[in-house]
Amino acid sequence: MTLRALGEAEGIPVGAAVAAGPLQANARYWRILGREFGMVTCENAMKMGPVHPAPGRWAFRDADAIVAFAARHGQGMRGHTLVWHNQLPRWITGGRWIRTTLARALDRHITTLVRRYRGRIGAWDVVNEAVDDHARPRPTIWRRVIGPGYIEQAFRSAHAADPDALLFYNDYGAEAAGRKADAILRLAAGLLRRGVPLHGIGLQAHLALDHLPRWDGVRTNLRRIRDLGLQVQVTELDVRIRLPVTPAKLRAQADAVRRLHDLCREAGNCTAFVTWGVGDAASWVPGFFKGYDAGLLFDRAWRAKPAYRALLGPPRRMR
Ligand code: G3I
């Protein structure tokens, strides 16, 4: 049994974020990726800065390589991400914009990227992290210059470019019910009321083992998303461990991964379970969280960890 077979059996594809470098340079990386994961997403290659470095100039090489790998291996794809405040190119952050010119630039960016991968990317993170850590609209360049309507515009542009793609709002720190999750649900409900083509909420699930969400709060939040008629996808799962990594912490990490997956299965509207990387040797965690590591399902020697085995675990009652 592989994670890929598990995902296919349960209708919740298990996926991984992919970095173009290791994909091309590390045989163990791409062997695990092809064998174990039924869905891939680009960790960085489709973000605006990397893929659209100058007006009218596109750098599709890395994104195309990942899309081609997924096609060769019959894997689904999530597109990440069309509108974000990070990893923006200087021509955006340093430009002299007015509302109409930036709105046009954003529409052209989205249209070009979504059209290029039409039919190969099943779901897009259209807008990423538009709600800040205080549950307020994040004051990004998009919101400052275009206004709050940038979110609706982005979804409509993406839908026009590929009417078959599922369109998600994606964020972190909102896995369990709470102020930020509440704000995201209000945002989603407003978009739906206005007939905006929003199909789901992406819960990034960048978790810390020493600060896990309340699982009953996660169950509540998944139910509220379902009650809005929306899908939910776990989009960037890692469960970082404060060093030193010990067998007890790895067992606790396995329990957390299994609980989240069980909640997704129970929710009934969960349609993807994506980890933010193939293995610990190619993870963003140690570079961004000093003193933490080991957030993924395969260790630095590309061996399956307890969290991997917990996901496969003893046979479960089929949904
Ligand atoms: O590609 C350049 C390289 O040319 C340069 O030499 C090097 C040193 O400056 O930087 C490289 O770019 C880095 C890029 O990752 C690719 O490795 C950026 O500096 C670095 O900031 C960037 O980090 C990414 C981070 O988003 C940026 O905020 C992480 O890899 C990526 O895992 C992380 O992913 C985000 C999701 O997109 C959204 N959710 C949160 C998640 C974690 O922040």
Side-chain angles (χ1 to χ4, degrees):
M1 179 66 125
T2 61
L3 291 176
R4 181 166 185 168
L6 172 82
E8 285 160 5
E10 301 208 331
I12 306 178
V14 178
V18 177
L23 180 67
Q24 282 137 4
N26 184 323
R28 300 179 80 176
Y29 183 97
W30 56 257
R31 282 202 189 100
I32 291 172
L33 179 64
R35 183 186 73 233
E36 294 292 342
F37 296 98
M39 177 175 277
V40 302
T41 189
C42 296
E43 182 176 9
N44 289 294
M46 285 192 187
K47 292 170 180 174
M48 196 173 193
V51 80
H52 194 179
R57 185 155 66 82
W58 295 82
F60 290 122
R61 183 176 56 103
D62 286 352
D64 286 351
I66 295 169
V67 171
F69 182 95
R72 273 199 311 277
H73 291 80
Q75 296 163 314
M77 272 211 83
R78 297 193 83 257
H80 179 79
T81 179
L82 297 174
V83 186
W84 193 25
H85 59 281
N86 275 344
Q87 290 178 272
L88 290 174
R90 289 188 54 73
W91 67 275
I92 289 288
T93 54
R96 296 168 56 82
W97 299 104
I98 60 170
R99 186 180 61 74
T100 51
T101 57
L102 188 59
R104 187 179 313 122
L106 180 58
D107 178 61
R108 285 177 178 162
H109 173 74
I110 292 172
T111 302
T112 303
L113 198 50
V114 175
R115 276 187 183 158
R116 180 180 183 85
Y117 299 113
R118 182 169 176 168
R120 290 180 290 174
I121 290 186
W124 277 99
D125 289 333
V126 176
V127 173
N128 192 48
E129 303 175 12
V131 177
D132 73 11
D133 296 345
H134 306 287
R136 292 183 307 230
R138 192 181 294 274
T140 66
I141 184 172
W142 308 111
R143 181 178 171 85
R144 274 198 321 273
V145 176
I146 299 173
Y150 81 95
I151 296 176
E152 175 168 343
Q153 175 197 314
F155 277 93
R156 292 192 187 283
S157 295
H159 186 65
D162 184 354
D164 298 326
L166 294 174
L167 306 181
F168 280 73
Y169 172 82
N170 190 52
D171 217 325
Y172 67 88
E175 291 76 28
R179 289 180 61 232
K180 183 165 181 177
D182 297 351
I184 289 167
L185 286 175
R186 283 195 302 274
L187 169 65
L191 293 170
L192 293 171
R193 270 196 306 276
R194 294 196 297 280
V196 173
L198 167 71
H199 305 109
I201 303 286
L203 300 178
Q204 293 182 9
H206 288 299
L207 307 181
L209 186 64
D210 49 3
H211 187 63
L212 291 173
R214 290 177 51 92
W215 299 116
D216 58 349
V218 174
R219 176 180 286 112
T220 299
N221 201 35
L222 295 180
R223 189 183 63 242
R224 298 190 309 179
I225 294 170
R226 187 187 60 214
D227 291 349
L228 274 180
L230 294 174
Q231 295 184 28
V232 66
Q233 295 189 344
V234 170
T235 55
E236 306 184 17
L237 176 63
D238 38 39
V239 184
R240 59 185 180 273
I241 293 175
R242 184 190 291 276
L243 297 175
V245 176
T246 64
K249 290 179 186 177
L250 288 170
R251 286 194 297 273
Q253 180 188 58
D255 179 67
V257 170
R258 170 85 186 221
R259 281 171 178 262
L260 183 60
H261 191 257
D262 283 347
L263 285 170
C264 284
R265 294 171 64 248
E266 174 192 313
N269 62 325
C270 183
T271 53
F273 194 83
V274 179
T275 57
W276 202 241
V278 174
D280 294 340
S283 165
W284 75 297
V285 165
F288 279 75
F289 295 99
K290 189 165 173 44
Y292 285 85
D293 200 351
L296 293 167
L297 303 181
F298 289 85
D299 68 16
R300 287 182 170 276
W302 305 102
R303 293 171 306 212
K305 294 160 65 176
Y308 169 90
R309 289 187 289 277
L311 269 186
L312 289 184
R316 297 173 167 116
R317 209 168 18 82
M318 295 314 263
R319 279 200 311 164

